Amino acid sequence: MRALPAVPSDTTLSLRAGEWATGGNVVGVTQVDVRTVRVGGSPEGMAGWVWVRGHNLECRWPWVACAREWCVRVAVRAEALYDALAR
């Protein structure tokens, strides 16, 4: 596996179905967009995947006051990070 790419904070990742999973190891079947806060750490039992913590894009809307450091945590296939950064 290649080294993880640098993912700057506030990067928007558009993750396709099959590229991400929930904390319960359930692979996502739709696209999800995440504005990153932090990328790193490995979900237990999911070799080749990495945690992405961030916010839904809706958190930028003026009437949504998300005061948390991050509100979304998904596991992402490490190789899919390269694809998502290139989109």
Side-chain angles (χ1 to χ4, degrees), residues 6-35:
V7 182
S9 175
D10 209 35
T11 298
T12 297
L13 297 176
S14 291
L15 302 167
R16 296 177 178 161
E19 293 182 335
W20 64 277
T22 65
N25 302 347
V26 177
V27 176
V29 295
T30 61
Q31 179 173 316
V32 66
D33 296 314
V34 178
R35 188 170 42 88

Side-chain angles (χ1 to χ4, degrees):
M1 183 173 80
R2 296 188 279 180
L4 288 177
V7 182
S9 175
D10 209 35
T11 298
T12 297
L13 297 176
S14 291
L15 302 167
R16 296 177 178 161
E19 293 182 335
W20 64 277
T22 65
N25 302 347
V26 177
V27 176
V29 295
T30 61
Q31 179 173 316
V32 66
D33 296 314
V34 178
R35 188 170 42 88
T36 62
V37 171
R38 184 173 52 248
V39 174
S42 299
E44 188 175 327
M46 295 180 74
W49 294 67
V50 63
W51 284 123
V52 172
R53 292 170 179 85
H55 293 276
N56 288 314
L57 301 185
E58 294 83 8
C59 288
R60 283 196 168 162
W61 294 348
W63 58 87
V64 178
C66 183
R68 295 178 279 183
E69 179 186 359
W70 53 269
C71 60
V72 174
R73 181 180 79 164
V74 293
V76 177
R77 284 188 313 102
E79 291 295 321
L81 283 178
Y82 291 97
D83 296 336
L85 288 168
R87 289 187 194 121

